[in-house]
Amino acid sequence: MEASLLSLLPPVVAIVLAIALRNVMPALFVGVWVGTTIMEGGRPDLGFLRIFDTLLLQQVAAPGENGTVDYFHLHIIFFTVFLGAMVGVMSLSGGSKAVLDRIAGRIDNRRHGQMLTWLSGLIIFFDDYANTLLIGGTMRPLTDRLKISREKLAFLIDSTAAPVAGLSLISTWAGFEVSLLVEGFQAVGQTVNGWEVFLATIPYRFYPLTMLLFVFLIGWTGRDYGPMLTAESQAAHPHLSSSIQSEVSEDSRNASSLMRHALLPIGILLITVVIGMMLDMDRATEVLVIASFLAAAVGVLSTILSRTFTVNESMEAWIVGAKSMVPAIVILTLAWMIGAICDDDHLKTGRYLQQLVGNSLSPEWLPAIAFLISAAVSFMTGSSFATMGLLVVPFTELSWTALGGDASLISDPVLLGTVGSVLAGAIFGDHCSPISDTTVLSAAAADCDHLKHVETQFPYALTVGGTSLLLGCLPIGFGINVWLCLIAQIVVLFVFLRIVGRIPSDS
């Protein structure tokens, strides 16, 4: 079907209902139903059937090329379950507490705790899902002890996960982004080295670069503002919420001071992922599944062989950890369904938004327009990957044509700025969207209310996104040096935080 205004309806309905109901599951389901109803010519009965007999099945096993089946989403589900199981064994066996007790000897205040979480986010660079779930589950007992709010923990892990993975040369994102860049230039008749173009676009990806620095500034200065300041002030108060008190006491009762219950699984996970991706980056999600399963299995064996747990107790801990990921998986699947409805094979949401821009714009405005359109599509679909897949190629063609179509344009700042803005805007919209997969997983990993995470993170994402647009995407189109743009953004964010930010009470 042709792209039309109706293509915006499913994500808009899902987002509005999520805010109104303060519950993302029914909101997403209704958004999916609206989308399938549109696809079935306005028949809600047929739309309801399509959810279960077609759309849901395709999210688990999507049809690929030449009769193949794509199990990418199924791999992510298994990876999430196994990683949750690993964290469950680490936590209930006392392994996480033993490691954190050792770290806590040096981490004695909220600022240090935030800086450690930020640094951990940089170290787990190979995948945003692994970053989110591993750091969230590992750092939560420490941040609770230091009176850092669950909302702040969710922000710290969410705002480092996708930016780090998107910028890293060795990650589950890199191969996908490189393939899109190659495809974009092939569409205009140019053969390029995708990795060289990937590296060339990095300075122009203003949002992920400045967000990583902004998270550092938040932790280093100890300052917050908006809803996050309220959440931090409440967490800093001596009377913790019942949920935090429950986790701390539960962790204390089960602690065995056996660091190997945490270090062995994490070590196996990291080593397997790094080796696996070096051997075959094209099968990255399969590597993550294998690595997370081995890590969870090693965690179980560690507790059994040390006689910390019996076999039954170890398996119970494994199941408890895996079950904790079920709500996230349900929301994740619904978010994927929304993204599938909005893709180029169905309602063509991205194409419609691109048509609204048209081809008559001056090339100077293209980086800013690309950033805004990419952010809008990502916000509405909840998927950075889907947004990149929809927009990298058409915006490469659009900027190439607008600039004159000369072979020397491959290194042109406006072209690189436009492509980089698509990749950056996809992450910005993802950070703002209540139906984003990483938003869902970050809230789950931090054991934070999903919509509270969205509410507290949104002002921070908007601050960095606005700065990236006004001091990055706009001036780069008019010939301002990219490094001057980055320096200006960093200075402005630092000054803004010093003026507007406040140190939470009792910190």
Side-chain angles (χ1 to χ4, degrees):
M1 63 182 298
E2 293 296 322
S4 69
L5 183 62
L6 287 177
S7 67
L8 302 179
L9 198 56
V12 169
V13 167
I15 290 166
V16 170
L17 283 179
I19 295 171
L21 300 177
R22 301 194 66 82
N23 192 315
V24 75
M25 284 191 192
L28 280 171
F29 183 81
V30 173
V32 170
W33 193 2
V34 168
T36 53
T37 298
I38 294 172
M39 289 163 53
E40 294 297 330
R43 291 279 303 273
D45 54 335
L46 291 180
F48 186 82
L49 290 175
R50 293 296 87 79
I51 293 174
F52 298 98
D53 68 7
T54 303
L55 194 61
L56 177 60
L57 298 178
Q58 288 179 347
Q59 301 320 300
V60 177
E65 298 179 355
N66 302 320
T68 60
V69 179
D70 184 359
Y71 292 109
F72 176 79
H73 286 171
L74 186 61
H75 291 155
I76 295 300
I77 290 172
F78 279 135
F79 169 64
T80 303
V81 169
F82 293 146
L83 205 58
M86 182 195 80
V87 171
V89 174
M90 286 167 49
S91 177
L92 294 177
S93 67
S96 297
K97 182 179 183 301
V99 172
L100 292 171
D101 281 344
R102 179 67 61 88
I103 297 174
R106 299 177 182 270
I107 305 299
D108 56 0
N109 60 55
R110 300 177 68 255
R111 292 186 185 183
H112 291 166
Q114 292 181 63
M115 294 298 292
L116 177 63
T117 306
W118 172 80
L119 182 60
S120 301
L122 299 184
I123 293 172
I124 311 299
F125 57 84
F126 47 81
D127 181 73
D128 55 332
Y129 293 122
N131 183 306
T132 297
L133 294 173
L134 184 58
I135 294 174
T138 303
M139 296 301 297
R140 191 170 64 227
L142 177 62
T143 53
D144 282 351
R145 184 184 307 170
L146 295 173
K147 301 178 183 178
I148 297 170
S149 67
R150 296 283 177 80
E151 292 86 348
K152 173 59 76 65
L153 176 59
F155 162 71
L156 292 171
I157 57 181
D158 197 359
S159 296
T160 53
V164 168
L167 295 170
S168 173
L169 277 169
I170 304 175
S171 74
T172 54
W173 289 52
F176 177 68
E177 291 177 333
V178 167
S179 66
L180 290 176
L181 294 171
V182 170
E183 184 181 346
F185 280 98
Q186 284 178 343
V188 295
Q190 299 296 312
T191 301
V192 297
N193 183 312
W195 292 102
E196 289 182 0
V197 178
F198 176 93
L199 289 172
T201 63
I202 287 179
Y204 298 89
R205 303 191 205 183
F206 299 114
Y207 179 81
L209 289 170
T210 51
M211 175 54 85
L212 290 174
L213 289 169
F214 186 68
V215 175
F216 169 80
L217 291 174
I218 289 284
W220 181 52
T221 63
R223 293 173 179 267
D224 290 288
Y225 59 92
M228 188 69 80
L229 178 61
T230 302
E232 284 289 87
S233 296
Q234 291 173 347
H237 194 274
H239 301 291
L240 296 177
S241 68
S242 58
S243 63
I244 294 180
Q245 287 177 335
S246 173
E247 176 156 334
V248 173
S249 60
E250 182 71 19
D251 193 56
S252 298
R253 285 193 299 268
N254 288 282
S256 65
S257 297
L258 295 173
M259 294 177 62
R260 62 179 174 273
H261 295 336
L263 296 179
L264 281 175
I266 291 174
I268 290 295
L269 179 72
L270 296 179
I271 292 170
T272 306
V273 167
V274 170
I275 293 176
M277 290 189 178
M278 288 176 63
L279 292 175
D280 194 349
M281 179 66 76
D282 293 334
R283 305 182 71 175
T285 56
E286 296 176 39
V287 171
L288 290 174
V289 173
I290 294 170
S292 58
F293 175 78
L294 289 176
V298 166
V300 168
L301 287 174
S302 176
T303 59
I304 294 173
L305 295 176
S306 65
R307 298 186 179 179
T308 303
F309 282 162
T310 64
V311 173
N312 289 339
E313 288 172 336
S314 293
M315 293 310 302
E316 183 178 352
W318 196 99
I319 292 170
V320 167
K323 284 171 60 177
S324 68
M325 292 294 106
V326 170
I329 290 170
V330 172
I331 298 174
L332 199 58
T333 304
L334 289 168
W336 284 333
M337 292 166 76
I338 283 276
I341 288 170
C342 295
D343 69 15
D344 251 10
D345 294 327
H346 298 95
L347 297 186
K348 301 178 174 64
T349 301
R351 296 287 181 183
Y352 178 72
L353 289 173
Q354 185 195 355
Q355 290 171 13
L356 293 179
V357 177
N359 296 320
S360 59
L361 283 174
S362 171
E364 289 82 3
W365 297 96
L366 282 175
I369 294 299
F371 182 77
L372 291 172
I373 295 297
S374 181
V377 173
S378 183
F379 180 80
M380 292 184 179
T381 62
S383 172
S384 299
F385 268 41
T387 301
M388 294 174 186
L390 286 170
L391 298 182
V392 167
V393 175
F395 266 105
T396 302
E397 294 178 292
L398 189 62
S399 55
W400 183 269
T401 302
L403 289 166
D406 187 87
S408 63
L409 293 174
I410 292 176
S411 58
D412 187 275
V414 173
L415 188 146
L416 292 175
T418 300
V419 176
S421 293
V422 171
L423 300 174
I427 296 176
F428 171 48
D430 186 270
H431 277 170
C432 295
S433 177
I435 61 174
S436 157
D437 48 5
T438 49
T439 300
V440 172
L441 289 176
S442 297
D447 197 16
C448 167
D449 179 81
H450 175 76
L451 292 178
K452 284 185 178 179
H453 169 43
V454 175
E455 178 186 351
T456 51
Q457 177 166 279
F458 182 77
Y460 287 2
L462 196 61
T463 298
V464 178
T467 305
S468 299
L469 174 66
L470 297 176
L471 298 178
C473 301
L474 278 173
I476 204 68
F478 290 88
I480 305 300
N481 182 271
V482 63
W483 302 109
L484 291 178
C485 291
L486 283 168
I487 291 171
Q489 292 169 62
I490 295 167
V491 171
V492 167
L493 288 172
F494 176 74
V495 172
F496 175 84
L497 193 57
R498 294 291 298 182
I499 295 174
V500 177
R502 297 288 182 272
I503 297 178
S505 60
D506 297 324
S507 60

